[in-house]
Amino acid sequence: MINKLVCAGLLTVAFTACASTSVSAVPTATTEEFRTVNWAVVKATEVQSLNADLEVGKPTVDVGLYYPSNLHKDAVAILPLDGLLEEFAKAKRVFAPTGVQLKLLWVKTGEVDPGFLAINSTSVRSEMPSGGYGNMYVQSGQSPSELSEGALAAFESIIEPAENNNRTVYLLALQNVYMTYFEKLDENGRNWAPKVVNTSGLSFPSYMYGDSIPDRIRGVITLTKHDAKNKLTIAHELGHKLMNVSHEYMSVSPQHEIRSEDGLMLYGAGTQIPAGLDGRWHQERLLLSPYIYRQDSSGEKTWNEDYRAGGFYYDPLYEDYAVEFE
């Protein structure tokens, strides 16, 4: 999750003509009636240009981008579609040195149920302070986060059923996505206070949620503010999703928020994705991601192995590529 202040003037998003349309399914995990979304493909020329450098046989991640047409004008001002395309281009450059390439499948726009434009990320029942026993990854494995009912309904409505849903990353532009965490008020851990953050990006990573998110929508990443300065929100959130790590880098163990000019997974201008034990196995974990495939000249895709035990940080998929720490 990145939380950076962005100053931007009101921008007008110009959509290209529709190349095709599609309809998302009504959510099945709730009894409420929600309107389906009539999605239209836009920015086809820009997408083609972004994908022009893709190579056969290289590790590849498929990414789709949903941009609601009924975002408030002030939300459009701080989350312009053209800005997100700039960020995607930057993300491609960030991941390129690792050998991983990003493919933008499409950009789609449509009118989303207004109630889905602002959500709480996590259910109240899964929110609790740190128990102090084991590191944050161990504790997440013991007490996984769960989506709020609103987030679940929104994602199931917005993300269309498709082949390889569970292997695809979906970027969702929304207005507000709130995350709650607890801040310790004393040394003994007796008193805690909830703190609510209005996120700029949130990756709903497996190291926090495990398999509590339905497979079809597990690739979701929400975006609410464009990083006009560093253009790194998308790259950073993809790092969470694909490397399955928190805010950490080299000797810096996972923390809720830490700022530095080094490392993609810290807040700042850093883009490094290090390898080896000293690099906390970031490159190695990235290359094992279940969201990665290799496509041969005939178009057949060979996917990486999926998670073996829910996708938490210490999932057996990663074998020795995990750091033990207090």
Side-chain angles (χ1 to χ4, degrees), residues 61-66 106 147 155 159 164-172 202-206 209-210 213-223 237-238 240-242 289-291 307:
V61 178
D62 283 347
V63 182
L65 171 56
Y66 289 110
W106 35 254
L147 292 178
F155 300 160
I159 298 174
N164 298 321
N165 266 144
N166 66 328
R167 301 286 195 155
T168 305
V169 176
Y170 296 100
L171 305 177
L172 274 56
L202 197 59
S203 61
F204 300 87
S206 291
Y209 288 83
I213 299 179
D215 261 7
R216 190 179 73 77
I217 59 173
R218 72 177 185 178
V220 65
I221 291 175
T222 56
L223 303 168
E237 298 306 327
L238 284 171
H240 284 309
K241 184 72 78 178
L242 302 178
S289 173
Y291 294 97
Y307 299 123

Side-chain angles (χ1 to χ4, degrees), residues 104-126:
L104 187 57
L105 297 175
W106 35 254
V107 178
K108 294 183 179 181
T109 187
E111 186 174 352
V112 171
D113 188 308
F116 293 157
L117 296 177
I119 59 173
N120 287 312
S121 63
T122 309
S123 70
V124 174
R125 67 186 177 191
S126 67

Side-chain angles (χ1 to χ4, degrees), residues 1 121-122 136-137 140 144-147 179 201-213 218-222 236-247 265 291 307 310-313 318:
M1 182 275 297
S121 63
T122 309
M136 67 165 289
Y137 293 136
S140 292
S145 297
E146 298 175 359
L147 292 178
M179 183 185 75
L202 197 59
S203 61
F204 300 87
S206 291
Y207 69 79
M208 284 184 61
Y209 288 83
D211 55 6
S212 70
I213 299 179
R218 72 177 185 178
V220 65
I221 291 175
T222 56
H236 179 92
E237 298 306 327
L238 284 171
H240 284 309
K241 184 72 78 178
L242 302 178
M243 289 184 268
N244 205 14
V245 299
S246 185
H247 301 117
M265 301 318 300
Y291 294 97
Y307 299 123
F312 294 104
Y313 178 81
Y318 298 110

Side-chain angles (χ1 to χ4, degrees), residues 19-281:
S20 64
T21 60
S22 53
V23 179
S24 64
V26 176
T28 57
T30 175
T31 58
E32 297 182 54
E33 292 295 327
F34 292 114
R35 184 174 52 201
T36 57
V37 183
N38 292 303
W39 292 111
V41 174
V42 297
K43 298 288 186 181
T45 301
E46 290 85 345
V47 170
Q48 184 178 18
S49 177
L50 284 167
N51 291 332
D53 61 348
L54 296 178
E55 298 179 30
V56 172
K58 291 188 67 172
T60 306
V61 178
D62 283 347
V63 182
L65 171 56
Y66 289 110
Y67 193 90
S69 60
N70 56 326
L71 291 173
H72 189 278
K73 65 178 183 178
D74 293 339
V76 172
I78 62 173
L79 192 69
L81 179 53
D82 286 341
L84 294 183
L85 294 178
E86 287 181 350
E87 286 198 31
F88 189 84
K90 178 72 172 284
K92 285 172 64 74
R93 296 194 295 272
V94 168
F95 283 91
T98 69
V100 173
Q101 58 186 6
L102 306 178
K103 179 179 181 180
L104 187 57
L105 297 175
W106 35 254
V107 178
K108 294 183 179 181
T109 187
E111 186 174 352
V112 171
D113 188 308
F116 293 157
L117 296 177
I119 59 173
N120 287 312
S121 63
T122 309
S123 70
V124 174
R125 67 186 177 191
S126 67
E127 295 172 354
M128 67 176 68
S130 166
Y133 302 109
N135 65 48
M136 67 165 289
Y137 293 136
V138 170
Q139 292 183 54
S140 292
Q142 294 170 347
S143 302
S145 297
E146 298 175 359
L147 292 178
S148 69
E149 290 183 3
L152 177 62
F155 300 160
E156 290 201 323
S157 174
I158 292 171
I159 298 174
E160 304 155 281
E163 185 180 8
N164 298 321
N165 266 144
N166 66 328
R167 301 286 195 155
T168 305
V169 176
Y170 296 100
L171 305 177
L172 274 56
L174 297 176
Q175 291 179 178
N176 298 103
V177 178
Y178 298 101
M179 183 185 75
T180 301
Y181 68 96
F182 288 83
E183 196 170 61
K184 188 163 63 173
L185 300 181
D186 56 55
E187 290 297 322
N188 298 324
R190 176 179 174 83
N191 297 295
W192 296 78
K195 188 173 183 179
V196 179
V197 176
N198 190 3
T199 66
S200 295
L202 197 59
S203 61
F204 300 87
S206 291
Y207 69 79
M208 284 184 61
Y209 288 83
D211 55 6
S212 70
I213 299 179
D215 261 7
R216 190 179 73 77
I217 59 173
R218 72 177 185 178
V220 65
I221 291 175
T222 56
L223 303 168
T224 58
K225 291 183 180 67
H226 166 49
D227 179 6
K229 179 180 179 181
N230 296 314
K231 298 179 174 58
L232 282 174
T233 300
I234 288 178
H236 179 92
E237 298 306 327
L238 284 171
H240 284 309
K241 184 72 78 178
L242 302 178
M243 289 184 268
N244 205 14
V245 299
S246 185
H247 301 117
E248 58 171 50
Y249 178 71
M250 305 293 280
S251 62
V252 179
S253 293
Q255 300 178 39
H256 180 67
E257 288 189 3
I258 184 167
R259 299 187 180 277
S260 171
E261 296 308 302
D262 296 315
L264 177 63
M265 301 318 300
L266 304 182
Y267 293 150
T271 61
Q272 300 91 334
I273 302 175
L277 176 59
D278 288 345
R280 308 187 78 89
W281 306 115

